[in-house]
Amino acid sequence: MARRPKIAVYKFASCDGCQLSILDLEEELLAIGEAFEIAYFLEASRAVVKGPYDIGLVEGSITTPHDAELIKEIRKSCKVLITIGACATAGGIQALRNWRGSAEFMKYVYPKPEYIETLDKSTPVSDHVQVDFELRGCPINKYQLLEVMSAYLAGRAPSIPNQSVCVECKLRGTACIMVAKGVPCLGPVTHAGCGAICPAYGRGCYGCYGPKESPNSKSLMKHFIELGKRREEAVMAFRLFNAWAPGFREVEAET
Amino acid sequence: MGEFRDQSDYYLLDPPHIDELISVLRGLGYSVIGPIVREGAIVYDEIESASQLPVGLRDRQRPGYYRLEERGDKAFFGFVVGPHSWKRFLYPPRFKLFTVSRKGEVTTHNVGGKKMAFIGVRGCELAAIQVLDKVLMGGPYVDPVYSTMRRDLFIVAVNCTEPGENCFCLSVGTGPEVGSGYDLSLTEVVGDGIHYFVAKVGSSAGKSLLERIGVRRATGDEVSEAAARMEKSRTLFRKSLDVTGLKDLLYRNLESPVYAEVAERCLACANCTLVCPTCFCTTVEEVTTLSGNVAERWRRWDSCFNADFSYIHGGPIRSSRLSRYRQWIAHKLATWIDQFGVMGCVGCGRCITWCPVGIDITEEAAKIRQRELEVSAT
């Protein structure tokens, strides 16, 4: 048997949900273990195999000077670097501080904020190093991760469509809730991947997968206002897990 | 009103007969698919009885807007078209084409011999099925999935006695009466204490179905009443598409400033194409397992509004929303005619209703016409 590719899983500022999605691949874990050597995955095991690694999966955003240095080291030790989740690909929910700066927040959260060393902004990994593939989602869809790993092994491009969530609603036959119920929904500007779960349960899309390719957030925001949202509310709809992603973050300024 | 000229062809169905019609079809081995209410919209799905139909409901439609409301009567077909179209069943959204093993063994996945009966196919929808027939079965390459699903199809068509707010079939010649190609057509007469359906036979299968149910011929008065309802229906349209020289108009105006304006609103979300009953574009994707022992090829609906749809080496040909909208409207209303001899638009209005921001194909076409006139006047 050929040498199994070595995988390393890293974490930065994040909730661990995306790493848990890997462990949540219960049925497939044995096959993953056969196909790959899980060399570095502290969420799963203390046993560490030395690098360099074939694949690095990175969760979390870069928020401290230490992070910014560490990610460069990680990039050097991984042949292929894949970021997973909204934090690593867009800065995450913690990027909300990017509009206000962190000093004020620290004052309320920490008894001794002077001990905290942080960067002014929470940024995606791709702002710091070259990233080979970005897998979106908050959290990622574990089957999409499996697809990325299978594609790596087969030496092909992963099939991760960058189209709208609307396409997924239509494939599963969900009637558009924005049209039929007037529920504001980020689906038309949001990257597919979740399988359009929320609209199937009557909730508007929260934009967990960030902007689709060429999103028209400005037009959608205008429509939210037509549906009866106040301007500030309409802006807030974009201020979630992918708030800092280009395509979402401009809405306030440009409308 | 050629549809109602020959009175000897008409039969009369009372409301309970619709239920019988459904059970007889099921007894003949058909999977019966008809309109039902789900999550605030009328969609198509398998039904077992007429009680599942959206009785007494109508759909209110505006650009980007759809709501159901009570009609105040017991009409079975008192609505028009919803977010689903019949292509969902004839041309499934996702379909596994084949599986191939590492050793090279190929297993082709067939549709299986499921006979389908569609209940409540409108004039525009019947026209749409005929457009798909041309596209997917009319040339040298016959689509194996569509042609199999289409083969044993039984169609119960319904004339629209009240067009919806976004309907413009009258102007493109596909409604409100159904054209040819059905097994049975129904015109519902409801109100003032009366409720019946005037049925017309369109095929021998349709005739034998009515014989099984055992219905009488319609009287002259009943047929006249149905004809009058259809006559009135033609006066109720609020929307139209001016098809005069439309193809050449679009070809002359590929650089119309209207496209930049529509691109400001267009979300490139692909909703219009996916609700369209004639849009047929698909993509194929390969799926492999971790072990690499099996690969599957899947076909799924795609859209010219997706960037990857026009991806070639180096990037997508149509990277802007402007170019994608132009591609779509020009194909639908113009290049389709060169390709298949018919227009790709059947006037059902779905793209208008289900566009989240309410972009209206009839308005955009009219704007392009208007802008050309303005430019030539100056």
Side-chain angles (χ1 to χ4, degrees), chain B residues 128-196:
Chain B
I129 291 172
Q130 284 157 359
V131 169
L132 287 182
D133 287 350
K134 279 204 160 92
V135 172
L136 300 168
M137 307 199 303
Y141 304 103
V142 172
D143 186 86
V145 180
Y146 181 84
S147 59
T148 311
M149 302 296 247
R150 181 76 174 90
R151 196 181 300 135
D152 297 314
L153 186 60
F154 189 96
I155 294 179
V156 180
V158 166
N159 287 316
C160 291
T161 52
E162 294 170 36
E165 294 90 338
N166 285 338
C167 295
F168 56 100
C169 58
L170 183 65
S171 59
V172 299
T174 62
E177 304 87 6
V178 296
S180 60
Y182 54 81
D183 295 285
L184 282 178
S185 83
L186 304 174
T187 307
E188 183 169 30
V189 176
V190 65
D192 296 330
I194 53 166
H195 192 189
Y196 58 83

Side-chain angles (χ1 to χ4, degrees), chain B residues 273-292:
Chain B
T273 54
L274 300 171
V275 295
C276 176
T278 67
C279 273
F280 56 85
C281 286
T282 54
T283 186
V284 287
E285 60 188 14
E286 258 72 38
V287 180
T288 51
T289 56
L290 275 177
S291 67

Side-chain angles (χ1 to χ4, degrees), chain A residues 156 159 164 170 179 216 219, chain B residues 67 265-266 269 271 285 288:
Chain A
R156 63 178 171 84
S159 173
S164 69
K170 292 294 177 287
V179 171
N216 192 349
S219 172
Chain B
R67 292 291 186 283
R265 300 169 63 205
C266 177
C269 60
N271 275 306
E285 60 188 14
T288 51

